[in-house]
Amino acid sequence: MTDLSLLDIQSQSMKKILIALFVLASVIRNSAHAVELDGANDPQFKAAIESWLDDDDKTSLPILAKLAKTGNVAARLTLSGIERLHIQSVSPYFKSLTRKEQRSLMRAGGGLSGTSWLNIEAERGHQLAFALLRVQAPNINQILIRKLIDLGERETASRQIPRIINSLKSEQIFDLADDHFVPKERRHRVWQTAAFKGNQKYIDEANRALRNGDPLALMGSPNRTKNADFKKHQNAIYFGAITEEAISEEYKKGLKKWFVTSTELKPVSQLCNVECPKQMESCTAMAYKLINGYHNVTNHDTPLESVISQADFINSAKSINTLLRHILQRKKGITNDGEIYFATYSRLIYLKDIRAASSCLADKLATLQY
């Protein structure tokens, strides 16, 4: 199930939304604050959020759906955020439902696929809904990123930064960096852009980070070459491919430590801290590889920061099981001799290889329902 695009909104509603977005863009401020959503203090809503964080969709989603249909704004926007998270993976309960039942839980009625609660709240004039809906548009700029930060949705804002670089507005990332609006997990995108645009201030910053041992600084280094060994180092950092012969044992050791200690990869290290604490380093290195890249990890965010903080989400059973189910979705098949294997960026990984690296992680993947 995917969110409705802007094209799904009727033309009259679209006009209202675009006008409101223009007004919204004109009132940007630099201080972030979480939006207080109507219905967020409802005891039923709070209980549903706790159940959802415990990975109990069977209890939580019907309550959230009922509240949304009776006008609870917090429930409506949370369901829209959960729907985005479903791109990574869904629970066995949700997967067992028919498409009609899934739509009934996540959306309002209307149309072949139902109507997103985000669209409904945007039409009603809710400022956070307007900003979140604007994220779905093909092109964005720094105004939207600043507004999301101002509304307290820093994780959503962070996810949009690479989209600026991929547009004709790439130099806007320097304005955001100047105002300290580029978080650590996206800082290397500033350095990459600086290398291409010749921004000496951030080229110097990248070089300082490189000298201080930040692995991500290598990705933004202005001295990048077509050297094959350099590419292997990139793959080790971005995709966890640390078995390449060109990578020294000392560098591999440093990367394994970075996988465990970096704030950027906290969703993975927390998974292993909870599930396999006695195999923390080996579990984290293997899980990172199986999740298939830095981008997938850093985009693993709370559905709605106004309701659930990023820390609470990352520390939850929902976060951990979402990532494990995401890995299981990469299970591509079984060989003729009965070996299960998973597809990753660099190569196929067999379950026996996972077990050799972290028996605990292998056991978890073998028994988890998805």
Side-chain angles (χ1 to χ4, degrees), residues 161-356:
I161 288 173
R163 295 178 61 194
I164 283 186
I165 298 171
N166 295 333
S167 71
L168 297 177
K169 308 178 185 71
S170 62
E171 291 190 6
Q172 289 186 7
I173 196 172
F174 301 137
D175 297 329
L176 293 170
D178 287 343
D179 290 336
H180 309 288
F181 284 161
V182 180
K184 188 177 179 183
E185 70 266 20
R186 313 287 179 192
R187 197 70 180 180
H188 64 293
R189 305 308 294 264
V190 179
W191 301 333
Q192 287 175 340
T193 308
F196 289 116
K197 297 292 184 178
N199 184 306
Q200 196 59 48
K201 173 182 176 180
Y202 289 110
I203 288 174
D204 291 343
E205 182 182 282
N207 285 330
R208 286 195 299 273
L210 193 61
R211 288 193 296 271
N212 290 333
D214 185 345
L216 289 174
L218 188 64
M219 302 299 93
S221 171
N223 304 312
R224 294 200 288 177
T225 70
K226 295 181 180 180
N227 183 287
D229 289 350
F230 186 91
K231 182 67 175 176
K232 289 174 182 177
H233 279 80
Q234 284 185 321
N235 290 341
I237 295 167
Y238 269 149
F239 299 103
I242 58 175
T243 57
E244 301 285 357
E245 292 182 2
I247 301 172
S248 69
E249 289 302 318
E250 182 180 358
Y251 194 73
K252 289 178 186 179
K253 184 177 179 180
L255 277 182
K256 286 181 179 180
K257 182 178 179 180
W258 180 70
F259 295 158
V260 171
T261 60
S262 70
T263 57
E264 298 93 326
L265 303 184
K266 183 66 174 178
V268 185
S269 60
Q270 180 61 14
L271 181 163
C272 292
N273 183 49
V274 171
E275 299 294 342
C276 303
K278 293 182 179 180
Q279 299 176 0
M280 184 71 174
E281 187 174 280
S282 58
C283 170
T284 304
M286 179 55 74
Y288 180 45
K289 187 186 299 185
L290 289 166
I291 290 168
N292 210 40
Y294 186 85
H295 178 77
N296 288 332
V297 175
T298 55
N299 280 355
H300 180 70
D301 300 326
T302 171
L304 192 68
E305 257 176 303
S306 300
V307 170
I308 304 169
S309 72
Q310 179 70 352
D312 285 347
F313 173 64
I314 294 303
N315 290 322
S316 72
K318 172 60 74 175
S319 169
I320 291 168
N321 288 339
T322 296
L323 288 175
L324 288 170
R325 288 190 288 259
H326 175 72
I327 292 172
L328 287 168
Q329 287 178 173
R330 306 196 68 81
K331 185 167 69 173
K332 293 302 181 182
I334 302 176
T335 62
N336 292 334
D337 57 359
E339 283 289 339
I340 296 174
Y341 62 90
F342 298 79
T344 68
Y345 173 81
S346 56
R347 63 184 179 87
L348 297 178
I349 299 179
Y350 292 89
L351 184 59
K352 64 180 181 181
D353 297 325
I354 300 172
R355 188 170 300 282

Side-chain angles (χ1 to χ4, degrees), residues 6 134-141 144 163 166-169:
L6 294 179
R134 180 68 180 85
V135 168
Q136 298 178 16
N139 297 305
I140 64 166
N141 56 35
L144 175 61
R163 295 178 61 194
N166 295 333
S167 71
L168 297 177
K169 308 178 185 71

Side-chain angles (χ1 to χ4, degrees), residues 45 85 88 260:
F45 176 76
L85 195 64
Q88 284 194 318
V260 171

Side-chain angles (χ1 to χ4, degrees), residues 83-115:
E83 197 170 20
R84 173 187 59 79
L85 195 64
H86 280 173
I87 294 172
Q88 284 194 318
S89 69
V90 298
S91 67
Y93 164 74
F94 192 82
K95 192 175 181 180
S96 73
L97 302 176
T98 65
R99 292 295 296 274
K100 183 177 180 180
E101 290 170 333
Q102 290 176 353
R103 288 195 298 269
S104 179
L105 282 178
M106 305 306 295
R107 296 183 166 209
L112 294 176
S113 301
T115 304

